[in-house]
Amino acid sequence: MSLCIKIKKIFLFLLFILLSKGIVLAQYMEHPVTEELFPENEPVLDTIYVAKNLSVDLQEVARRITSWAITSRFPTARLFDIQIESVLPVSYQTKLYGEDYEKGRYTHQNRIRVAVNLPFIRKKNWISTVAFRYKYENTGFSDIENVSLKYPQVHHDDPLKSHFYVGSLINTYLSILFNKPVAYNLILLGEGSQHGLERVSGIVLANMILKKNDRTALTVGLAGFINSRLRIPVLPVFSFDYSFTDGWAFSSVLPAFIYMRKTFDRNGRLSLGSEFNSNNFYLYPEPGNYLFNKTEIRPGIMYEHYIHDKIILTCKTGLLYVLQGQLIPENKTSADKILKSKEHITGYWNIGFSYSFF
């Protein structure tokens, strides 16, 4: 069996895993992962932190452990990025303390995301970057019904408007272990809302490149979380990239995403596959502060195109399936959630513009 056929079978198998409702990792993830933390750029010293999403913890890890990939034409590391996203109307239902509580419908979920990445130290074995992520969200409701006989209905702002931000300091040290390149990362994170800073956390990550050539990149790593809402403080990470001779490439970071990618005339790239995503914002019902987090799987299509020398247009669309939503009290873990929500499958679209400094 040829290598191409084997890789395509692996792609279909991993895609099935990501789309499986009962995937084990989804039970533990507070913030699932989506995209690379290492940019698709040579050499290793060009490793720069990048994030397009406002999720943290596992999200940060995924972006730092992807392989130093085969092509640098579409780097993940971008100085500035802005995205506009909209989710189609969808029905939802919730359980409070394990009992049926509320059902209704989201009429719209519109988001604006802004990301800035500023590397300020780049030495032979050391890279330091500061990054800032901001998200504005506007959510509309309809047909809200309280189905609980025990708990009173909570008032909803309609539309519900929220602001979420994450600031981070990323330090990466590059070394050799067992004759293999290794990147050690210390990531300090602070997140909050329009009401101020809510949480400070950290990630320690070690990632080893097992294989790297013109067509293949394979990495494995281990991440540890400090002051995280995850149920488990340590997680293994894995990435594999392979470039075919016909312009197609297989790219995966687990537990994050899998894609088959096709490059067109150097200025365009098409990606087909699926990714984990999460959406977070803080709520302030009386009494106390809470984080509302949704764990999502997004199978779909993405197209990136250079509209200028360093300006990239990105368009994404596909299905959106919420594995679970949860309301977590301040300074608690996902095991202490008080509310769970479910949604039907719906669709979404996303358009973004970014400026790449490579």
Side-chain angles (χ1 to χ4, degrees):
M1 184 182 297
S2 69
L3 179 62
C4 292
I5 295 176
K6 289 181 179 179
I7 291 178
K8 289 177 181 178
K9 287 188 174 181
I10 292 173
F11 169 77
L12 293 175
F13 173 72
L14 294 177
L15 181 61
F16 171 77
I17 293 177
L18 281 176
L19 294 178
S20 297
K21 179 178 178 180
I23 186 168
V24 174
L25 285 169
Q27 300 175 10
Y28 296 96
M29 283 195 212
E30 165 208 294
H31 299 294
V33 284
T34 56
E35 296 186 80
E36 304 96 314
L37 279 178
F38 280 134
E40 298 175 357
N41 195 69
E42 290 283 0
V44 169
L45 293 181
D46 279 332
T47 301
I48 304 294
Y49 165 81
V50 173
K52 295 180 180 179
N53 211 305
L54 290 170
S55 321
V56 292
D57 289 354
L58 293 180
Q59 181 89 13
E60 304 297 334
V61 171
R63 293 186 183 158
R64 294 206 67 78
I65 57 90
T66 200
S67 40
W68 294 279
I70 292 122
T71 175
S72 62
R73 183 56 178 162
F74 289 90
T76 305
R78 298 172 188 181
L79 180 65
F80 177 81
D81 180 76
I82 183 169
Q83 298 179 29
I84 299 173
E85 179 177 284
S86 183
V87 179
L88 299 180
V90 62
S91 299
Y92 71 89
Q93 56 189 25
T94 65
K95 288 188 175 183
L96 184 64
Y97 297 109
E99 297 187 11
D100 291 339
Y101 176 60
E102 179 183 280
K103 61 181 181 179
R105 185 172 180 82
Y106 296 122
T107 58
H108 65 267
Q109 298 175 75
N110 299 327
R111 301 165 189 141
I112 299 175
R113 295 183 173 96
V114 179
V116 180
N117 304 277
L118 298 173
F120 65 94
I121 296 178
R122 288 182 64 178
K123 296 184 178 182
K124 181 179 179 180
N125 287 30
W126 186 270
I127 302 171
S128 293
T129 304
V130 292
F132 181 76
R133 312 284 171 264
Y134 167 79
K135 181 192 68 173
Y136 169 77
E137 182 154 358
N138 185 304
T139 303
F141 299 87
S142 69
D143 304 326
I144 298 175
E145 180 184 354
N146 183 5
V147 296
S148 173
L149 301 177
K150 184 176 180 180
Y151 300 105
Q153 184 170 350
V154 176
H155 171 73
H156 289 269
D157 293 334
D158 190 11
L160 175 64
K161 301 177 181 180
S162 65
H163 304 265
F164 187 86
Y165 64 82
V166 177
S168 54
L169 172 64
I170 304 97
N171 298 286
T172 301
Y173 179 74
L174 305 169
S175 183
I176 299 294
L177 181 65
F178 305 124
N179 293 321
K180 299 291 186 181
V182 178
Y184 301 97
N185 301 274
L186 174 62
I187 308 172
L188 303 177
L189 301 147
E191 68 177 56
S193 70
Q194 65 270 29
H195 293 281
L197 180 67
E198 293 291 349
R199 186 172 70 112
V200 177
S201 61
I203 302 171
V204 179
L205 169 68
N207 191 68
M208 176 181 288
I209 301 179
L210 298 181
K211 183 176 182 180
K212 175 68 180 75
N213 55 39
D214 291 339
R215 298 182 63 183
T216 306
L218 174 65
T219 75
V220 295
L222 194 66
F225 303 93
I226 304 169
N227 192 30
S228 171
R229 298 189 188 91
L230 294 169
R231 297 185 185 183
I232 50 178
V234 178
L235 183 75
V237 287
F238 168 86
S239 75
F240 175 68
D241 286 38
Y242 182 82
S243 180
F244 300 95
T245 57
D246 58 359
W248 282 94
F250 173 81
S251 181
S252 66
V253 176
L254 297 177
F257 67 83
I258 55 172
Y259 276 120
M260 290 293 295
R261 304 186 191 271
K262 172 71 173 179
T263 301
F264 301 94
D265 300 325
R266 287 181 52 81
N267 286 327
R269 185 173 71 172
L270 178 70
S271 299
L272 304 172
S274 186
E275 64 184 25
F276 274 111
N277 192 33
S278 70
N279 186 48
N280 312 295
F281 55 85
Y282 281 93
L283 295 173
Y284 299 90
E286 293 294 339
N289 303 345
Y290 298 84
L291 176 78
F292 187 72
N293 162 255
K294 291 182 183 181
T295 302
E296 303 170 348
I297 290 181
R298 296 187 174 200
I301 182 172
M302 174 172 62
Y303 182 72
E304 302 161 277
H305 191 86
Y306 274 87
I307 58 176
H308 190 265
D309 184 37
K310 294 183 179 297
I311 300 177
I312 303 173
L313 168 67
T314 301
C315 300
K316 301 195 320 185
T317 188
L319 299 178
L320 189 155
Y321 174 64
V322 176
L323 290 169
Q324 70 172 351
Q326 51 189 358
L327 190 65
I328 306 170
E330 183 181 18
N331 298 323
K332 299 292 184 178
T333 70
S334 58
D336 303 309
K337 58 182 173 290
I338 65 170
L339 182 141
K340 292 171 44 177
S341 71
K342 291 288 186 181
E343 299 178 19
H344 295 161
I345 296 177
T346 186
Y348 79 97
W349 60 263
N350 179 300
I351 185 169
F353 295 89
S354 58
Y355 179 81
S356 170
F357 44 74
F358 289 118

